[in-house]
Amino acid sequence: MANALLLLGIGFAGPSSTAAWTPADLGASLALWLDADDASTITLNTLSVSQWNDKSGNNRNASQTTATAQPTNPIDINNRRVIQFDGVNDFFSVPEFSTSATIFILANRGSATSPQLSGADPNSFIPTWNVNAERLEYRSVHTQAILTQLSGGSNTEYAFGCVQLDIANDEVKLNIFGGAVTTVSQTVGSSDLKINTIGRDFAGATQFTNGAVAEIITSSNLVTTEDRQKLEGYLAWKWGGI
């Protein structure tokens, strides 16, 4: 088991080893890091969550000031806490930024007809889970056109997906569960991949998820294959080998 985890990029702290790899090791390229199991980043309003703080150091905190639209923070996968949305009106807003070239999302899609786990402004693109088709999609917010997609898992499972923009080569790279990377030719720009809301699609829309989000990690860079594999190993080890 130890050898298998080391192959995934996971180390163990001890007299003869280095500390375990975490997203903080991405350094200055770490743009956003939301971890639902880190109690120090969660601001509670009785039983609901009013703010989910960014661990990247960039203060891109997810927040919701309306009490009736605040999600909860129950224990779920691998005995760890997640952010649970109600599928009715729960969502977080995230400060606008346009420096993401890589986004990892670990989430349970839930069973609501509306699939949106995240949203962005109408002129950009987002990764989103399609509940009915059970796939990860990279789609235009404005036209809802699906640019690329991968199937994976049932809507009751937790899964992690990664979307990357290779701006230099006009390519979108997408993979699920740490599997093979699918590459699609697509003209992309530095501000094309965004997350402005979590739990709902773009501002003013009415698609909400009843799924849950465990962790979101974004990088301003197209991460290397080595760092992508380390991220996948970090998520798989922490959240129970999904």
Side-chain angles (χ1 to χ4, degrees), residues 85 88-94 114-122 124 126-129 139-142 144 194-209:
F85 299 93
V88 178
N89 65 346
D90 286 358
F91 76 99
F92 282 130
S93 295
V94 181
S114 302
Q116 306 284 10
L117 278 171
S118 59
D121 68 74
S124 61
I126 57 171
T128 186
W129 292 112
R139 66 163 69 198
S140 164
V141 178
H142 180 64
Q144 293 295 296
K194 296 181 180 179
I195 293 180
N196 300 120
T197 59
I198 305 170
R200 188 192 74 176
D201 58 351
F202 59 90
T206 57
Q207 290 190 337
F208 296 86
T209 182

Side-chain angles (χ1 to χ4, degrees), residues 65-78:
T65 57
T66 302
T68 55
Q70 293 170 350
T72 56
N73 187 215
I75 294 174
D76 194 357
I77 180 174
N78 203 30

Side-chain angles (χ1 to χ4, degrees), residues 146-224:
I146 299 169
L147 304 183
T148 185
Q149 61 192 30
L150 279 180
S151 299
S154 70
N155 59 24
T156 59
E157 295 176 337
Y158 279 84
F160 61 85
C162 174
V163 176
Q164 296 181 279
L165 301 188
D166 187 342
I167 297 169
N169 296 305
D170 279 332
E171 292 177 340
V172 177
K173 302 176 185 294
L174 188 149
N175 71 312
I176 295 177
F177 291 113
V181 176
T182 293
T183 300
V184 178
S185 295
Q186 175 69 39
T187 301
V188 292
S190 60
S191 62
D192 281 353
L193 186 58
K194 296 181 180 179
I195 293 180
N196 300 120
T197 59
I198 305 170
R200 188 192 74 176
D201 58 351
F202 59 90
T206 57
Q207 290 190 337
F208 296 86
T209 182
N210 66 354
V213 177
E215 197 153 356
I216 297 175
I217 301 158
T218 82
S219 171
S220 57
N221 293 342
L222 182 71
V223 299
T224 65

